Amino acid sequence: MTEQYIQKLDQLDQHLTAINYSLALIEWDSRTLASKKGGEERSITVGAISKIYFEAFINDSTKETLDYLNQHLAELDDIHQAKTIYFTKEYHKISKIPADEFAQYTALLEKSTEAWEEARTKDDFSIFAPYLDQVIKTLKKFIQYRGYTKHPYNTLLDDYEPGLTVAVADQFFTNLKTKIVPLVQAISQKPLPAAMPVATYPVDQQAAFSTYIMEQLGFDANRGTIAESAHPFTLNLSRNDVRITTHYYENDLPSSVFSTIHETGHALYEQNISDRFGFSQLTSGVSMGIHESQSRIYENNFGRDLAFWDRHYAKLQSLFPEQLGTLALADFFRAINIVRPSLIRIEADEVTYPLHIMVRYEMEKMIFSQEIDVYDLPRLWNEKYQQYLGLSADNNAQGILQDVHWSAGLFGYFPSYALGSAYAAQFAHHIGQSIDIKNCLATGDMKPLLGWLSQNVHTYGSSKTPAEIIHSATGQDFNPDYYTDYLDRKYSQIYEL
Ligand code: ZN
């Protein structure tokens, strides 16, 4: 009997994974090569395939299978235990919201995203405000349907970082506030190092460096590829077809260098998930936060280290002899680690970045715990930027309207960006206990680092929770001190504090 239900679960898993594959392929296409004009037909197609997914998943047969397997969980092997837990959670998440209300919400999000675009272009928050209000009210209703423990915002946090709660996030952000805000203030008192030389960096040469560095980091080019898009991203069709994008600006070399390293970190995660799950939903990174830890450890902990560039700077200089030929390694290193409070999150440096996230977190927590007038949000935004970063935007386009997330209903998503960096610091600390990281970076032998990450993080896919992965990899629960200690140590040295 149990065998029969296990088979049904495997078939369902493979079927849903195949449907997701086709959706992912459309997404890849629309963000790289597809024509803008094809948008309408594409969205009809996505709607049709999403409906197929819903009907294949949410039905009595799935419910019966999951009910049976949950009652016999102890008899199952680890993979089928993980699959049962994974699909049961997904089933509850989707089935508790009435289908017609969800369809209305999806339509609202399209209009809301359009309104946000217009509001940002015209710098007029009032165009977006009524839609934002509707999105928030709908999400509050969905939280009631889905239920929550302790804090309504917990339900949304859990969507992107399973297990994350306001209690954990509060501790994390309080730690940031007390340690990073003063660090940024201390750095601001110091003279700014020279920035990268103003020059033209030909795109072909930048692309050549992307290919070189991906290979150096361990990206398997037989199981993935790179393309260009407006905003860099990683997309996995399967562990054998992992795709990344980058973006080339002729006058900004570090932008493509670090976005390629960042996305390669995401890609290494997907390429190194164990093949024992097969073509399964489990063959995918477990959460936004753990995913971001893998991109950030490569981008920042490894990729912005002096030892890393000790190895690779000569290659970069050989591709840009006129632009970088006379720039010393030490100056290049300081230029790629400049800290300067700024208004735009996606352009922020490693130290000020989490403060942008802290503003979003504090506002989201408030939005979902009390009645809020959306017209108060821009004022609140500016107050927090003044308090934490010492800046305020002249307009809402550079302030509260800068990111698409809220218009797309992505509340609870922002904290995972900052958590990723914090997880990365904890992983890096523990890697350093058994591996000479600087030596790996300086010699270009990245295998021990990728080996550690693959064995302790990548291999599990979505079969463990983020907290379980952190604990088994480091022998400890998540501890935000590693992150603030790392930033403090690194930047006190660079800025001679
Ligand atoms: Zn990322």
Side-chain angles (χ1 to χ4, degrees):
M1 194 66 174
T2 306
E3 252 330 292
Q4 203 183 321
Y5 280 108
I6 287 175
Q7 224 175 38
K8 279 180 86 172
L9 181 67
D10 283 338
Q11 280 165 0
L12 176 74
D13 183 12
Q14 188 164 353
H15 187 58
L16 295 178
T17 307
I19 297 173
N20 272 343
Y21 183 105
S22 63
L23 287 169
L25 200 52
I26 292 171
E27 190 192 341
W28 170 263
D29 188 49
S30 79
R31 291 172 73 176
T32 52
L33 284 175
S35 77
K36 287 268 169 292
K37 284 211 163 177
E40 198 176 328
E41 292 85 350
R42 229 173 6 253
S43 105
I44 294 170
T45 309
V46 168
I49 300 176
S50 302
K51 191 156 177 267
I52 295 172
Y53 184 95
F54 183 86
E55 286 166 359
F57 186 29
I58 306 299
N59 54 54
D60 291 344
S61 166
T62 304
K63 190 171 184 309
E64 186 193 321
T65 304
L66 292 173
D67 283 349
Y68 180 91
L69 291 173
N70 274 304
Q71 279 159 19
H72 297 81
L73 207 56
E75 298 164 28
L76 308 179
D77 61 36
D78 63 330
I79 289 181
H80 291 96
Q81 281 186 0
K83 279 191 187 185
T84 302
I85 293 166
Y86 177 90
F87 282 108
T88 303
K89 192 171 175 189
E90 287 297 300
Y91 191 92
H92 285 143
K93 193 157 97 186
I94 299 176
S95 64
K96 283 188 175 164
I97 297 168
D100 57 332
E101 286 186 39
F102 193 78
Q104 276 171 24
Y105 175 62
T106 310
L108 168 66
L109 294 183
E110 285 206 11
K111 286 188 205 133
S112 149
T113 306
E114 274 170 34
W116 165 75
E117 270 175 8
E118 191 189 339
R120 193 173 67 150
T121 310
K122 295 183 176 164
D123 182 28
D124 183 353
F125 182 73
S126 72
I127 297 172
F128 178 46
Y131 293 94
L132 179 61
D133 192 44
Q134 277 309 307
V135 170
I136 291 169
K137 286 192 170 121
T138 310
L139 282 175
K140 283 184 173 176
K141 196 158 72 172
F142 287 178
I143 292 169
Q144 294 304 323
Y145 289 147
R146 293 173 59 188
Y148 65 87
T149 38
K150 294 199 173 139
H151 198 293
Y153 186 36
N154 283 346
T155 299
L156 302 179
L157 290 174
D158 186 82
D159 282 344
Y160 304 98
E161 197 58 18
L164 180 64
T165 60
V166 164
V168 175
D170 273 350
Q171 194 200 353
F172 172 61
F173 286 109
T174 304
N175 195 35
L176 269 184
K177 201 184 312 193
T178 48
K179 292 180 182 163
I180 301 306
V181 173
L183 177 65
V184 170
Q185 280 162 358
I187 292 172
S188 303
Q189 308 297 315
K190 293 281 181 170
L192 261 187
M196 286 286 288
V198 176
T200 301
Y201 300 87
V203 165
D204 286 353
Q205 302 295 92
Q206 293 194 40
F209 189 78
S210 285
T211 310
Y212 161 82
I213 204 71
M214 285 165 75
E215 196 237 312
Q216 291 286 316
L217 298 177
F219 182 85
D220 181 352
N222 293 315
R223 297 193 291 129
T225 191
I226 179 170
E228 283 177 60
S229 65
H231 298 288
F233 68 97
T234 300
L235 184 140
N236 61 311
L237 292 169
S238 72
R239 66 187 288 283
N240 294 315
D241 191 349
V242 181
R243 305 171 181 200
I244 72 166
T245 68
T246 193
H247 190 88
Y248 300 111
Y249 298 96
E250 267 208 328
N251 59 358
D252 186 353
L253 176 64
S255 171
S256 80
V257 168
F258 288 101
S259 69
T260 301
I261 297 174
H262 179 99
E263 300 306 329
T264 301
H266 282 304
L268 292 172
Y269 186 0
E270 296 292 339
Q271 286 191 330
N272 290 292
I273 293 172
S274 168
D275 60 7
R276 67 194 198 103
F277 304 116
F279 187 44
S280 164
Q281 305 274 75
L282 296 186
T283 312
S284 190
V286 65
S287 70
M288 286 294 309
I290 298 286
H291 234 302
E292 207 57 18
S293 77
Q294 301 309 292
S295 54
R296 303 257 173 191
I297 202 168
Y298 277 92
E299 178 192 349
N300 293 330
N301 304 71
F302 303 158
R304 284 183 209 271
D305 194 288
L306 186 58
F308 183 83
W309 289 104
D310 209 17
R311 172 75 185 177
H312 301 293
Y313 188 52
K315 174 73 181 177
L316 198 63
Q317 281 182 310
S318 76
L319 288 165
F320 302 99
E322 284 166 31
Q323 300 88 336
L324 301 178
T326 58
L327 183 71
L329 172 62
D331 293 326
F332 173 76
F333 172 68
R334 275 190 289 271
I336 60 169
N337 283 296
I338 285 180
V339 174
R340 177 183 357 198
S342 63
L343 289 169
I344 307 294
R345 175 185 69 86
I346 59 168
E347 291 167 10
D349 56 75
E350 193 183 1
V351 184
T352 58
Y353 185 87
L355 303 181
H356 293 258
I357 303 300
M358 189 166 76
V359 171
R360 289 280 183 183
Y361 171 74
E362 290 185 354
M363 291 181 73
E364 290 188 355
K365 191 175 98 175
M366 198 190 68
I367 286 169
F368 288 97
S369 59
Q370 60 197 66
E371 285 307 314
I372 188 94
D373 181 347
V374 290
Y375 287 94
D376 279 342
L377 294 175
R379 178 185 52 78
L380 205 66
W381 173 278
N382 289 327
E383 280 172 13
K384 287 187 185 293
Y385 263 72
Q386 193 62 52
Q387 188 185 350
Y388 301 142
L389 287 144
L391 296 169
S392 42
D394 299 334
N395 55 57
N396 288 322
Q398 288 200 312
I400 194 167
L401 291 173
Q402 66 180 268
D403 279 307
V404 67
H405 301 60
W406 286 0
S407 75
L410 299 174
F411 285 88
Y413 188 110
F414 278 107
S416 59
Y417 287 128
L419 275 177
S421 300
Y423 294 166
Q426 186 163 344
F427 289 141
H429 175 88
H430 285 269
I431 294 171
Q433 309 280 296
S434 57
I435 296 169
D436 185 345
I437 299 177
K438 295 253 184 220
N439 186 57
C440 292
L441 300 178
T443 60
D445 179 14
M446 300 296 281
K447 282 207 185 76
L449 304 176
L450 179 56
W452 191 98
L453 292 169
S454 296
Q455 197 184 333
N456 290 288
V457 181
H458 304 166
T459 191
Y460 299 114
S462 294
S463 68
K464 288 187 178 213
T465 65
E468 284 168 350
I469 288 173
I470 291 165
H471 196 95
S472 71
T474 68
Q476 291 180 344
D477 290 336
F478 170 51
N479 178 352
D481 287 340
Y482 288 112
Y483 180 43
T484 44
D485 287 352
Y486 153 76
L487 289 175
D488 192 48
R489 202 172 48 243
K490 175 175 171 182
Y491 288 91
S492 295
Q493 201 177 11
I494 293 175
Y495 282 87
E496 295 170 349
L497 299 177

